[in-house]
Amino acid sequence: GQQLNQSPQSMFIQEGEDVSMNCTSSSIFNTWLWYKQDPGEGPVLLIALYKAGELTSNGRLTAQFGITRKDSFLNISASIPSDVGIYFCAGQRPYSGGGADGLTFGKGTHLIIQP
Amino acid sequence: DSGVTQTPKHLITATGQRVTLRCSPRSGDLSVYWYQQSLDQGLQFLIQYYNGEERAKGNILERFSAQQFPDLHSELNLSSLELGDSALYFCASSASGAQFFGPGTRLTVL
């Protein structure tokens, strides 16, 4: 199935550093979502973006919905040890019959923080 | 806690068998989505139900089927299981917009 291009694949950073990751697609999405997943658990919603150009923050996290509707980025400021995990972007298209279709996911960014 | 529950947490079975995974959505959510997560394919959308009716299909095999009941809980049925069906299976629910995921069922086919 189709997937989004998410980069980087992994990041090794020092505690306190800022983090940036992004997703791009050849298709337009109406909604962009960012999730974090810990091993053996379900993805947890971090930020939801519904409008092209929208910039939304959730604590130390900031995400933007690209103007072209084909990309999104997530920034984490001043990283802390509990930020470790896998971050996924997901795009959603409207369902042709009304409502929304299933999500298309990126392959994830593994964030590893060295104390 | 997302409010979405899934049972069982783990399931171990043999090739050729059939299993049923269960999901209860967040209170008030009418949409339920099923996803499969494997190491090689990542997170893949399988199927969506809205208020009891099938709404959208993704990469779901013919051996797999789902349904949503009047109380809005959903079941995913996997039959004629193969080794390659071993994966994490998640359901998610939404009112409109953002989807909230359950803790998943880890299926191991031996």
Side-chain angles (χ1 to χ4, degrees):
Chain A
Q2 179 187 3
Q3 287 193 316
L4 302 174
N5 299 312
Q6 185 171 351
S7 64
Q9 211 169 19
S10 58
M11 300 183 75
F12 294 79
I13 63 166
Q14 301 282 338
E15 186 177 346
E17 285 185 18
D18 296 344
V19 171
S20 186
M21 59 192 78
N22 68 82
C23 271
T24 59
S25 170
S26 56
S27 305
I28 287 173
F29 289 103
N30 280 16
T31 300
W32 281 93
L33 304 166
W34 285 92
Y35 291 88
K36 179 175 182 266
Q37 187 178 25
D38 292 327
E41 301 193 7
V44 173
L45 181 66
L46 300 174
I47 292 181
L49 302 157
Y50 299 107
K51 208 163 135 182
E54 180 182 353
L55 183 73
T56 298
S57 292
N58 177 9
R60 293 178 297 105
L61 277 58
T62 302
Q64 184 156 31
F65 191 145
I67 288 289
T68 64
R69 293 165 62 193
K70 293 183 180 180
D71 62 310
S72 177
F73 73 74
L74 174 71
N75 288 341
I76 306 172
S77 63
S79 58
I80 59 177
S82 62
D83 291 335
V84 165
I86 305 176
Y87 292 79
F88 290 98
C89 62
Q92 187 171 44
R93 296 187 187 85
Y95 171 62
S96 57
D101 205 347
L103 298 175
T104 300
F105 279 87
K107 292 209 168 193
T109 295
H110 293 239
L111 181 60
I112 298 153
I113 298 176
Q114 299 159 335
Chain B
D1 185 352
S2 67
V4 178
T5 60
Q6 287 186 248
T7 56
K9 180 88 174 157
H10 300 278
L11 200 48
I12 301 174
T13 188
T15 54
Q17 295 297 305
R18 173 189 168 94
V19 296
T20 297
L21 313 183
R22 183 188 167 105
C23 168
S24 291
R26 294 187 318 159
S27 177
D29 285 356
L30 298 182
S31 282
V32 170
Y33 302 78
W34 285 97
Y35 293 86
Q36 181 193 59
Q37 186 176 36
S38 61
L39 280 174
D40 54 342
Q41 294 292 321
L43 269 158
Q44 298 280 324
F45 166 62
L46 296 177
I47 197 165
Q48 178 203 0
Y49 276 79
Y50 176 83
N51 202 20
E53 293 193 3
E54 183 184 302
R55 175 62 69 89
K57 264 187 174 178
N59 300 319
I60 189 165
L61 299 172
E62 283 193 17
R63 299 183 286 108
F64 296 180
S65 64
Q67 55 186 136
Q68 187 178 26
F69 295 87
D71 67 352
L72 300 178
H73 90 271
S74 178
E75 292 180 355
L76 179 68
N77 301 298
L78 315 177
S79 62
S80 302
L81 284 167
E82 302 175 0
L83 296 176
D85 298 326
S86 295
L88 271 166
Y89 291 84
F90 291 104
C91 83
S93 75
S94 73
S96 60
Q99 294 181 23
F100 295 87
F101 282 74
T105 293
R106 181 174 292 280
L107 174 67
T108 303
V109 182
L110 301 175

